[in-house]
Amino acid sequence: MRIGMLTSGGDCQALNATMRGVVKGLFEKLDDVEVYGFYDGYKGLIYGNYRLLTSTDFSGILTKGGTILGTSRQPFKLMREPDENGLDKVKAMKDNYYKLNLDCLVILGGNGTQKTANLLREEGLNIIHMPKTIDNDIYGTDMTFGFYSAINIATDAIDCIHTTAASHNRIFIVEVMGHKVGWLTLYAGIASGADIILLPEIPYDDKKIIEAIQKRKKAGKGFTILAVAEGAISKKEAKLSKKDLKKKRLKENYPSVAYKIADMIRMETGSEARVTVPGHTQRGGSPCPYDRILSTRLGAAAAQAIIDRNYGNMVAMINGETELVPLAEVAGKLKVVDPNCKMIQEAKAIGISFGD
Ligand code: F6P
């Protein structure tokens, strides 16, 4: 069999671990298999930048962060647009697939990547998609690889802030990755004992944030920790159109939402709120043990799907079991945090404020 493989979109810790799982699974069961790695995501497939990989390429990479193939963001909405030299990107990808006589293409990536994977499936290519993202927002799988590694890093960051916040009796805001969804902020916020957690799915009210800070003060707690998702929005902002919100944010000119909230807290309470942004550290370093196991299991399941020629699917983890989910059913959908879910209710029950 001849397999193509690429990693696309923002990277995460367990991309290599997942590719290793797929390739080990294939080499274990098939005598005659060739794996071609395309460099820098869909770019490599479009421009024919690839290399035949050997088992040596996949040795010692279980614990290695990043991606041995490189990655890039190629927006789905531009896939049907010709490139700057007039090249038809979709045709170019298909031509390279057929030129190499591939049986299947294994695509590791998040939501945008998945949409293009589905487009290639609709164009007749044999596709297997592997759900990657620290955001855990891929519809149709309980878990994405990268998520738990990122939780560990964001939690460590908030833990470190906790001790210094307590020493100085300060208010601290830690901005956690996640523009559209708040899974990472929710998990890291609970794991690190944040007092206020702000998610894109639960628009906040300034007054409620101040009330939560004052409640802690009254209880004799001089410091407050806020875990704020990159995409947190206020109740007022939630009423605006996307365009008007963008305009408003540009006019306000804060580097990010955490600084805007810090300013509001300073104005309302007279106390300074310090901001920490762990940023891309959340996508870096080695995968945590959970992700290594998840990646290995998803990889083995992908290898089996390839051997069975069970194409057109995402390899998902559902209720602790690997499952194949048709790309046609999930592509273009986002898995968001339900504001009324048990986890939020339980967090609220122990006094965590969501600013609502
Ligand atoms: O999609 C993963 C993600 O890490 C988001 O959480 C974050 O908002 C975004 O990527 C950052 O993207 P970039 O690497 O392009 O700055």
Side-chain angles (χ1 to χ4, degrees), residues 13-126:
Q13 294 86 346
L15 283 162
N16 289 327
T18 306
M19 288 192 276
R20 169 186 173 271
V22 179
V23 173
K24 271 185 169 273
L26 289 172
F27 284 171
E28 193 62 29
K29 291 212 174 137
L30 301 175
D31 290 331
D32 191 15
V33 59
E34 286 180 354
V35 179
Y36 291 86
F38 292 92
Y39 290 115
D40 303 329
Y42 287 115
K43 242 191 210 171
L45 184 59
I46 296 169
Y47 299 106
N49 192 10
Y50 59 84
R51 174 168 80 79
L52 178 63
L53 301 166
T54 67
S55 61
T56 318
D57 288 298
F58 297 94
S59 284
I61 63 168
L62 173 65
T63 58
K64 196 173 167 179
T67 159
I68 57 167
L69 294 180
T71 187
S72 65
R73 288 196 189 276
Q74 302 294 316
F76 169 72
K77 61 179 180 208
L78 299 181
M79 276 300 178
R80 292 274 183 201
E81 307 262 311
D83 78 353
E84 57 279 14
N85 299 313
L87 180 79
D88 179 334
K89 287 178 264 183
V90 175
K91 182 176 179 303
M93 288 193 280
K94 287 167 69 179
D95 287 349
N96 282 319
Y97 177 97
Y98 290 121
K99 196 174 89 188
L100 277 171
N101 206 10
L102 295 178
D103 288 289
C104 153
L105 188 59
V106 181
I107 298 174
L108 291 80
N111 282 300
T113 299
Q114 189 192 56
K115 283 194 255 180
T116 299
N118 190 45
L119 180 156
L120 292 175
R121 180 195 64 80
E122 286 167 350
E123 289 286 328
L125 306 194
N126 295 330

Side-chain angles (χ1 to χ4, degrees), residues 9-11 73 110-111 132-135 137 176-181 184 230-231 279-280 282-283:
D11 74 343
R73 288 196 189 276
N111 282 300
K132 166 243 67 162
T133 169
I134 64 164
D135 295 335
D137 59 354
V176 179
M177 272 189 166
H179 272 297
K180 292 184 182 153
V181 301
L184 184 53
E230 282 175 318
H280 290 77
Q282 292 162 96
R283 291 210 315 236

Side-chain angles (χ1 to χ4, degrees), residues 331-351:
K333 294 183 187 167
L334 202 62
K335 185 179 72 185
V336 298
V337 177
D338 172 2
N340 301 311
C341 70
K342 275 253 166 137
M343 195 168 178
I344 303 268
Q345 285 175 26
E346 286 150 1
K348 284 184 174 175
I350 65 141

Side-chain angles (χ1 to χ4, degrees), residues 12-13 133-136 142-159 174 176-177 182-192 278 281-284 286-288 290-291 343:
C12 79
Q13 294 86 346
T133 169
I134 64 164
D135 295 335
N136 196 30
D142 293 345
M143 213 41 80
T144 60
F145 53 90
F147 179 52
Y148 264 87
S149 303
I151 294 172
N152 286 356
I153 296 170
T155 302
D156 275 351
I158 306 174
D159 283 351
V174 181
V176 179
M177 272 189 166
W183 293 109
L184 184 53
T185 311
L186 177 62
Y187 276 62
I190 292 176
S192 59
T281 63
Q282 292 162 96
R283 291 210 315 236
S286 308
C288 67
Y290 178 91
D291 272 338
M343 195 168 178

Side-chain angles (χ1 to χ4, degrees), residues 63-331:
T63 58
K64 196 173 167 179
T67 159
I68 57 167
L69 294 180
T71 187
S72 65
R73 288 196 189 276
Q74 302 294 316
F76 169 72
K77 61 179 180 208
L78 299 181
M79 276 300 178
R80 292 274 183 201
E81 307 262 311
D83 78 353
E84 57 279 14
N85 299 313
L87 180 79
D88 179 334
K89 287 178 264 183
V90 175
K91 182 176 179 303
M93 288 193 280
K94 287 167 69 179
D95 287 349
N96 282 319
Y97 177 97
Y98 290 121
K99 196 174 89 188
L100 277 171
N101 206 10
L102 295 178
D103 288 289
C104 153
L105 188 59
V106 181
I107 298 174
L108 291 80
N111 282 300
T113 299
Q114 189 192 56
K115 283 194 255 180
T116 299
N118 190 45
L119 180 156
L120 292 175
R121 180 195 64 80
E122 286 167 350
E123 289 286 328
L125 306 194
N126 295 330
I127 303 292
I128 294 285
H129 171 243
M130 312 291 292
K132 166 243 67 162
T133 169
I134 64 164
D135 295 335
N136 196 30
D137 59 354
I138 298 183
Y139 189 87
T141 183
D142 293 345
M143 213 41 80
T144 60
F145 53 90
F147 179 52
Y148 264 87
S149 303
I151 294 172
N152 286 356
I153 296 170
T155 302
D156 275 351
I158 306 174
D159 283 351
C160 291
I161 290 301
H162 230 123
T163 57
T164 176
S167 308
H168 288 267
N169 277 324
R170 276 177 172 153
I171 301 165
F172 264 97
I173 302 177
V174 181
E175 189 176 280
V176 179
M177 272 189 166
H179 272 297
K180 292 184 182 153
V181 301
W183 293 109
L184 184 53
T185 311
L186 177 62
Y187 276 62
I190 292 176
S192 59
D195 309 298
I196 301 172
I197 297 177
L198 303 182
L199 312 178
E201 293 90 339
I202 307 179
Y204 64 83
D205 181 341
D206 288 351
K207 271 196 213 136
K208 299 284 176 185
I209 296 175
I210 303 302
E211 269 171 36
I213 294 171
Q214 277 161 353
K215 191 175 160 202
R216 281 181 58 79
K217 260 197 181 161
K218 266 191 205 145
K221 293 174 183 158
F223 73 94
T224 297
I225 307 279
L226 291 91
V228 174
E230 282 175 318
I233 54 167
S234 69
K235 282 189 193 282
K236 279 183 205 155
E237 288 172 331
K239 287 186 188 139
L240 300 176
S241 67
K242 244 188 180 179
K243 204 174 141 201
D244 287 342
L245 176 60
K246 209 172 164 192
K247 255 197 218 161
K248 181 175 177 275
R249 288 273 172 97
L250 270 174
K251 207 170 149 206
E252 289 170 344
N253 203 23
Y254 290 108
S256 65
V257 67
Y259 291 89
K260 174 183 157 76
I261 294 169
D263 215 18
M264 180 278 289
I265 292 173
R266 186 182 49 78
M267 286 194 290
E268 293 295 325
T269 66
S271 302
E272 209 180 318
R274 297 281 165 108
V275 173
T276 294
V277 184
H280 290 77
T281 63
Q282 292 162 96
R283 291 210 315 236
S286 308
C288 67
Y290 178 91
D291 272 338
R292 294 178 201 181
I293 298 165
L294 177 66
S295 292
T296 303
R297 292 187 63 192
L298 292 176
Q304 193 56 53
I306 293 166
I307 292 164
D308 297 341
R309 298 178 195 273
N310 216 337
Y311 305 127
N313 293 305
M314 166 175 74
V315 185
M317 183 60 73
I318 301 171
N319 293 328
E321 302 289 343
T322 54
E323 269 188 45
L324 299 180
V325 177
L327 273 171
E329 282 177 17
V330 293

